[in-house]
Amino acid sequence: MSGRAQLMWDEAVTGYDFGPEHPMDPVRLALTRSLVGALGLDREVEVVAARSAGESTLRLVHRQDYIDAVKAASLEPDAADPSYGLGTVDDPAFAGMHEVSSLIAGQSVGAAEAVWRGQALHAVNFAGGLHHAMPGAASGFCVYNDAALAVARLLELGAERVAYVDVDVHHGDGVQAAFWEDPRVLTVSLHEHPRTLFPQTGWPEETGAECAEGSAVNIALPAGTGDAGWVRAFHAVVPEVLADFRPQVLVTQHGADTHFEDPLAHLAVSLDAQRAVQVACHELAHEYAEGRWVALGGGGYAVVDVVPRSWAHLVGIAAGRPVDPETVIPEGWRQEVYARTRQLGPMRMTDGRWPVEWASWEEGYDPADRLDQAVVAARRAVFPLRGLLA
């Protein structure tokens, strides 16, 4: 197996553009790629442009009638069928939508193939992580569910146990739905509580179908959760269920919208805590999946201050050259930020909160604490189904 990481990148993914008023601004992808280059990380990885996902691949998750609807909307955006979630406020139709969505999906599928076949130990597609798309509908800024497609491709290639861990602020509902009845896939989502955030799913009681009980794990955190609680909740649940499941591959989704500056959600997590969980996912891949790690992007709408730094850290960790949080960001990149957005870019690769301090679950918990209550709810819902002590 090659120890070299792959970075999946094709400039054309920046064509995933819902329009100038939409929060998912593709400049976040362009700025991430250029920051990766400015930090010299692209010299530490193999940069690969995978081919687009074809219809047979898309059908691993999506219905043919939905694919046909996306293709039709791609040709005539004004005639998009809203019954498929297309042409809506969240998912406006645009020319070429099918092609660029297939391209993004192809990068995640290509990452999965490279890791499974031993061509790379780790592979990153920060343009991916579009985890809300359903088998028959677009949802939450997501047209094709590249994360679910990557997992489905791993199963098709012969994987018997794939773990998917999602730390986006929103519940990974599309991936959970795709594998709800499949005990070969463990889906774990750490997200803001559905009472206060789209898509209003991801309750602890959602644990998988009867034929796959315990295969879905949901840690629903109270609004306002900050670094210590977020990292504590991750470590209180994720390592234990991975140790029990023994995945052959770990697929992770790293939406940057948990950040305190993100305009669409209500957690208070710093860039430094995001980096700490990225490091933890890397370590868990080595501990439980022989190092096989597919890492995806996701949400993130603070497109200058947060997203590029968070995902550049992810690339550095996957490349085996993690970026020191105190690193000063190259001036050339900051000039590019201003030229593209008329905003001032961040100065360093930290929010000033490194190292992140948190209390281990093994030290005990406070039954009156809302964060601890969320962790207890997740553990009590799923751990007994897996034969674990809650």
PDB file of all heavy atoms in Angstrom, residues 228-249:
ATOM      1  N   ALA A 228     -14.610  22.510  24.262  1.00  0.00           N
ATOM      2  CA  ALA A 228     -14.408  21.449  25.252  1.00  0.00           C
ATOM      3  C   ALA A 228     -15.531  20.428  25.185  1.00  0.00           C
ATOM      4  O   ALA A 228     -15.287  19.208  25.244  1.00  0.00           O
ATOM      5  CB  ALA A 228     -14.291  22.048  26.651  1.00  0.00           C
ATOM      6  N   GLY A 229     -16.772  20.898  25.039  1.00  0.00           N
ATOM      7  CA  GLY A 229     -17.896  19.978  24.986  1.00  0.00           C
ATOM      8  C   GLY A 229     -17.937  19.191  23.690  1.00  0.00           C
ATOM      9  O   GLY A 229     -18.248  17.990  23.690  1.00  0.00           O
ATOM     10  N   TRP A 230     -17.631  19.858  22.576  1.00  0.00           N
ATOM     11  CA  TRP A 230     -17.688  19.202  21.271  1.00  0.00           C
ATOM     12  C   TRP A 230     -16.659  18.075  21.181  1.00  0.00           C
ATOM     13  O   TRP A 230     -16.968  16.956  20.782  1.00  0.00           O
ATOM     14  CB  TRP A 230     -17.450  20.247  20.178  1.00  0.00           C
ATOM     15  CG  TRP A 230     -17.732  19.818  18.784  1.00  0.00           C
ATOM     16  CD1 TRP A 230     -18.950  19.480  18.252  1.00  0.00           C
ATOM     17  CD2 TRP A 230     -16.779  19.702  17.717  1.00  0.00           C
ATOM     18  NE1 TRP A 230     -18.806  19.169  16.914  1.00  0.00           N
ATOM     19  CE2 TRP A 230     -17.491  19.302  16.558  1.00  0.00           C
ATOM     20  CE3 TRP A 230     -15.407  19.916  17.621  1.00  0.00           C
ATOM     21  CZ2 TRP A 230     -16.875  19.094  15.325  1.00  0.00           C
ATOM     22  CZ3 TRP A 230     -14.781  19.719  16.390  1.00  0.00           C
ATOM     23  CH2 TRP A 230     -15.509  19.304  15.266  1.00  0.00           C
ATOM     24  N   VAL A 231     -15.431  18.369  21.578  1.00  0.00           N
ATOM     25  CA  VAL A 231     -14.382  17.348  21.535  1.00  0.00           C
ATOM     26  C   VAL A 231     -14.661  16.249  22.567  1.00  0.00           C
ATOM     27  O   VAL A 231     -14.447  15.064  22.302  1.00  0.00           O
ATOM     28  CB  VAL A 231     -12.989  17.984  21.743  1.00  0.00           C
ATOM     29  CG1 VAL A 231     -11.897  16.922  21.733  1.00  0.00           C
ATOM     30  CG2 VAL A 231     -12.708  19.024  20.659  1.00  0.00           C
ATOM     31  N   ARG A 232     -15.163  16.631  23.716  1.00  0.00           N
ATOM     32  CA  ARG A 232     -15.517  15.636  24.740  1.00  0.00           C
ATOM     33  C   ARG A 232     -16.581  14.674  24.209  1.00  0.00           C
ATOM     34  O   ARG A 232     -16.457  13.448  24.366  1.00  0.00           O
ATOM     35  CB  ARG A 232     -16.028  16.361  25.983  1.00  0.00           C
ATOM     36  CG  ARG A 232     -16.651  15.457  27.073  1.00  0.00           C
ATOM     37  CD  ARG A 232     -17.006  16.326  28.280  1.00  0.00           C
ATOM     38  NE  ARG A 232     -17.859  15.653  29.244  1.00  0.00           N
ATOM     39  CZ  ARG A 232     -17.437  14.800  30.189  1.00  0.00           C
ATOM     40  NH1 ARG A 232     -16.158  14.464  30.244  1.00  0.00           N
ATOM     41  NH2 ARG A 232     -18.277  14.280  31.064  1.00  0.00           N
ATOM     42  N   ALA A 233     -17.619  15.211  23.564  1.00  0.00           N
ATOM     43  CA  ALA A 233     -18.695  14.364  23.051  1.00  0.00           C
ATOM     44  C   ALA A 233     -18.178  13.411  21.983  1.00  0.00           C
ATOM     45  O   ALA A 233     -18.551  12.234  21.948  1.00  0.00           O
ATOM     46  CB  ALA A 233     -19.812  15.237  22.498  1.00  0.00           C
ATOM     47  N   PHE A 234     -17.316  13.908  21.112  1.00  0.00           N
ATOM     48  CA  PHE A 234     -16.737  13.046  20.075  1.00  0.00           C
ATOM     49  C   PHE A 234     -16.023  11.858  20.711  1.00  0.00           C
ATOM     50  O   PHE A 234     -16.267  10.701  20.365  1.00  0.00           O
ATOM     51  CB  PHE A 234     -15.764  13.872  19.218  1.00  0.00           C
ATOM     52  CG  PHE A 234     -15.072  13.077  18.150  1.00  0.00           C
ATOM     53  CD1 PHE A 234     -15.597  12.982  16.874  1.00  0.00           C
ATOM     54  CD2 PHE A 234     -13.870  12.419  18.409  1.00  0.00           C
ATOM     55  CE1 PHE A 234     -14.956  12.243  15.880  1.00  0.00           C
ATOM     56  CE2 PHE A 234     -13.227  11.681  17.438  1.00  0.00           C
ATOM     57  CZ  PHE A 234     -13.775  11.588  16.167  1.00  0.00           C
ATOM     58  N   HIS A 235     -15.150  12.138  21.650  1.00  0.00           N
ATOM     59  CA  HIS A 235     -14.343  11.073  22.254  1.00  0.00           C
ATOM     60  C   HIS A 235     -15.157  10.180  23.203  1.00  0.00           C
ATOM     61  O   HIS A 235     -14.745   9.044  23.473  1.00  0.00           O
ATOM     62  CB  HIS A 235     -13.155  11.683  22.997  1.00  0.00           C
ATOM     63  CG  HIS A 235     -12.064  12.129  22.081  1.00  0.00           C
ATOM     64  ND1 HIS A 235     -11.159  11.266  21.510  1.00  0.00           N
ATOM     65  CD2 HIS A 235     -11.733  13.367  21.624  1.00  0.00           C
ATOM     66  CE1 HIS A 235     -10.324  11.940  20.736  1.00  0.00           C
ATOM     67  NE2 HIS A 235     -10.647  13.209  20.786  1.00  0.00           N
ATOM     68  N   ALA A 236     -16.297  10.666  23.678  1.00  0.00           N
ATOM     69  CA  ALA A 236     -17.123   9.867  24.578  1.00  0.00           C
ATOM     70  C   ALA A 236     -17.904   8.790  23.842  1.00  0.00           C
ATOM     71  O   ALA A 236     -18.425   7.859  24.481  1.00  0.00           O
ATOM     72  CB  ALA A 236     -18.097  10.774  25.332  1.00  0.00           C
ATOM     73  N   VAL A 237     -18.000   8.885  22.520  1.00  0.00           N
ATOM     74  CA  VAL A 237     -18.815   7.951  21.764  1.00  0.00           C
ATOM     75  C   VAL A 237     -18.057   7.292  20.617  1.00  0.00           C
ATOM     76  O   VAL A 237     -18.062   6.069  20.464  1.00  0.00           O
ATOM     77  CB  VAL A 237     -20.084   8.652  21.212  1.00  0.00           C
ATOM     78  CG1 VAL A 237     -20.908   7.690  20.351  1.00  0.00           C
ATOM     79  CG2 VAL A 237     -20.927   9.220  22.340  1.00  0.00           C
ATOM     80  N   VAL A 238     -17.397   8.096  19.795  1.00  0.00           N
ATOM     81  CA  VAL A 238     -16.882   7.594  18.513  1.00  0.00           C
ATOM     82  C   VAL A 238     -15.828   6.488  18.673  1.00  0.00           C
ATOM     83  O   VAL A 238     -15.952   5.427  18.039  1.00  0.00           O
ATOM     84  CB  VAL A 238     -16.358   8.753  17.644  1.00  0.00           C
ATOM     85  CG1 VAL A 238     -15.802   8.219  16.324  1.00  0.00           C
ATOM     86  CG2 VAL A 238     -17.474   9.765  17.373  1.00  0.00           C
ATOM     87  N   PRO A 239     -14.777   6.670  19.476  1.00  0.00           N
ATOM     88  CA  PRO A 239     -13.766   5.605  19.543  1.00  0.00           C
ATOM     89  C   PRO A 239     -14.337   4.265  20.000  1.00  0.00           C
ATOM     90  O   PRO A 239     -13.947   3.207  19.487  1.00  0.00           O
ATOM     91  CB  PRO A 239     -12.742   6.147  20.543  1.00  0.00           C
ATOM     92  CG  PRO A 239     -12.913   7.634  20.499  1.00  0.00           C
ATOM     93  CD  PRO A 239     -14.379   7.840  20.279  1.00  0.00           C
ATOM     94  N   GLU A 240     -15.293   4.300  20.922  1.00  0.00           N
ATOM     95  CA  GLU A 240     -15.826   3.048  21.476  1.00  0.00           C
ATOM     96  C   GLU A 240     -16.645   2.284  20.433  1.00  0.00           C
ATOM     97  O   GLU A 240     -16.531   1.061  20.313  1.00  0.00           O
ATOM     98  CB  GLU A 240     -16.672   3.349  22.715  1.00  0.00           C
ATOM     99  CG  GLU A 240     -16.764   2.166  23.658  1.00  0.00           C
ATOM    100  CD  GLU A 240     -17.220   2.558  25.052  1.00  0.00           C
ATOM    101  OE1 GLU A 240     -17.113   3.749  25.417  1.00  0.00           O
ATOM    102  OE2 GLU A 240     -17.685   1.656  25.780  1.00  0.00           O
ATOM    103  N   VAL A 241     -17.463   3.016  19.651  1.00  0.00           N
ATOM    104  CA  VAL A 241     -18.260   2.296  18.646  1.00  0.00           C
ATOM    105  C   VAL A 241     -17.380   1.822  17.483  1.00  0.00           C
ATOM    106  O   VAL A 241     -17.630   0.757  16.903  1.00  0.00           O
ATOM    107  CB  VAL A 241     -19.450   3.137  18.128  1.00  0.00           C
ATOM    108  CG1 VAL A 241     -20.466   3.351  19.236  1.00  0.00           C
ATOM    109  CG2 VAL A 241     -19.013   4.448  17.510  1.00  0.00           C
ATOM    110  N   LEU A 242     -16.328   2.567  17.162  1.00  0.00           N
ATOM    111  CA  LEU A 242     -15.408   2.110  16.115  1.00  0.00           C
ATOM    112  C   LEU A 242     -14.641   0.871  16.575  1.00  0.00           C
ATOM    113  O   LEU A 242     -14.424  -0.063  15.789  1.00  0.00           O
ATOM    114  CB  LEU A 242     -14.438   3.221  15.720  1.00  0.00           C
ATOM    115  CG  LEU A 242     -15.015   4.408  14.945  1.00  0.00           C
ATOM    116  CD1 LEU A 242     -13.907   5.365  14.553  1.00  0.00           C
ATOM    117  CD2 LEU A 242     -15.782   3.966  13.711  1.00  0.00           C
ATOM    118  N   ALA A 243     -14.229   0.867  17.826  1.00  0.00           N
ATOM    119  CA  ALA A 243     -13.514  -0.303  18.349  1.00  0.00           C
ATOM    120  C   ALA A 243     -14.385  -1.543  18.281  1.00  0.00           C
ATOM    121  O   ALA A 243     -13.910  -2.649  17.984  1.00  0.00           O
ATOM    122  CB  ALA A 243     -13.079  -0.036  19.793  1.00  0.00           C
ATOM    123  N   ASP A 244     -15.673  -1.381  18.521  1.00  0.00           N
ATOM    124  CA  ASP A 244     -16.595  -2.511  18.465  1.00  0.00           C
ATOM    125  C   ASP A 244     -16.871  -2.939  17.022  1.00  0.00           C
ATOM    126  O   ASP A 244     -16.908  -4.128  16.707  1.00  0.00           O
ATOM    127  CB  ASP A 244     -17.905  -2.125  19.152  1.00  0.00           C
ATOM    128  CG  ASP A 244     -18.981  -3.181  18.974  1.00  0.00           C
ATOM    129  OD1 ASP A 244     -18.815  -4.279  19.536  1.00  0.00           O
ATOM    130  OD2 ASP A 244     -19.959  -2.909  18.265  1.00  0.00           O
ATOM    131  N   PHE A 245     -17.018  -1.972  16.128  1.00  0.00           N
ATOM    132  CA  PHE A 245     -17.408  -2.260  14.747  1.00  0.00           C
ATOM    133  C   PHE A 245     -16.244  -2.794  13.913  1.00  0.00           C
ATOM    134  O   PHE A 245     -16.433  -3.576  12.993  1.00  0.00           O
ATOM    135  CB  PHE A 245     -17.974  -0.983  14.112  1.00  0.00           C
ATOM    136  CG  PHE A 245     -18.516  -1.150  12.725  1.00  0.00           C
ATOM    137  CD1 PHE A 245     -19.662  -1.893  12.502  1.00  0.00           C
ATOM    138  CD2 PHE A 245     -17.886  -0.552  11.643  1.00  0.00           C
ATOM    139  CE1 PHE A 245     -20.172  -2.046  11.215  1.00  0.00           C
ATOM    140  CE2 PHE A 245     -18.386  -0.693  10.358  1.00  0.00           C
ATOM    141  CZ  PHE A 245     -19.540  -1.443  10.146  1.00  0.00           C
ATOM    142  N   ARG A 246     -15.030  -2.380  14.216  1.00  0.00           N
ATOM    143  CA  ARG A 246     -13.821  -2.803  13.503  1.00  0.00           C
ATOM    144  C   ARG A 246     -13.913  -2.542  11.987  1.00  0.00           C
ATOM    145  O   ARG A 246     -13.874  -3.448  11.173  1.00  0.00           O
ATOM    146  CB  ARG A 246     -13.533  -4.290  13.743  1.00  0.00           C
ATOM    147  CG  ARG A 246     -13.240  -4.637  15.198  1.00  0.00           C
ATOM    148  CD  ARG A 246     -13.024  -6.123  15.408  1.00  0.00           C
ATOM    149  NE  ARG A 246     -14.212  -6.894  15.055  1.00  0.00           N
ATOM    150  CZ  ARG A 246     -14.298  -7.703  14.010  1.00  0.00           C
ATOM    151  NH1 ARG A 246     -13.256  -7.859  13.201  1.00  0.00           N
ATOM    152  NH2 ARG A 246     -15.418  -8.366  13.761  1.00  0.00           N
ATOM    153  N   PRO A 247     -14.036  -1.274  11.597  1.00  0.00           N
ATOM    154  CA  PRO A 247     -14.195  -0.975  10.170  1.00  0.00           C
ATOM    155  C   PRO A 247     -12.936  -1.313   9.376  1.00  0.00           C
ATOM    156  O   PRO A 247     -11.828  -1.241   9.887  1.00  0.00           O
ATOM    157  CB  PRO A 247     -14.440   0.538  10.152  1.00  0.00           C
ATOM    158  CG  PRO A 247     -13.736   1.034  11.380  1.00  0.00           C
ATOM    159  CD  PRO A 247     -13.948  -0.045  12.406  1.00  0.00           C
ATOM    160  N   GLN A 248     -13.147  -1.662   8.130  1.00  0.00           N
ATOM    161  CA  GLN A 248     -12.011  -1.861   7.214  1.00  0.00           C
ATOM    162  C   GLN A 248     -11.582  -0.543   6.582  1.00  0.00           C
ATOM    163  O   GLN A 248     -10.450  -0.405   6.132  1.00  0.00           O
ATOM    164  CB  GLN A 248     -12.406  -2.863   6.128  1.00  0.00           C
ATOM    165  CG  GLN A 248     -12.638  -4.262   6.662  1.00  0.00           C
ATOM    166  CD  GLN A 248     -13.393  -5.110   5.677  1.00  0.00           C
ATOM    167  OE1 GLN A 248     -14.538  -4.837   5.342  1.00  0.00           O
ATOM    168  NE2 GLN A 248     -12.752  -6.157   5.171  1.00  0.00           N
ATOM    169  N   VAL A 249     -12.503   0.407   6.519  1.00  0.00           N
ATOM    170  CA  VAL A 249     -12.232   1.745   5.996  1.00  0.00           C
ATOM    171  C   VAL A 249     -13.004   2.741   6.843  1.00  0.00           C
ATOM    172  O   VAL A 249     -14.130   2.459   7.273  1.00  0.00           O
ATOM    173  CB  VAL A 249     -12.676   1.900   4.517  1.00  0.00           C
ATOM    174  CG1 VAL A 249     -12.188   3.232   3.945  1.00  0.00           C
ATOM    175  CG2 VAL A 249     -12.207   0.761   3.660  1.00  0.00           C
TER     176      VAL A 249
END
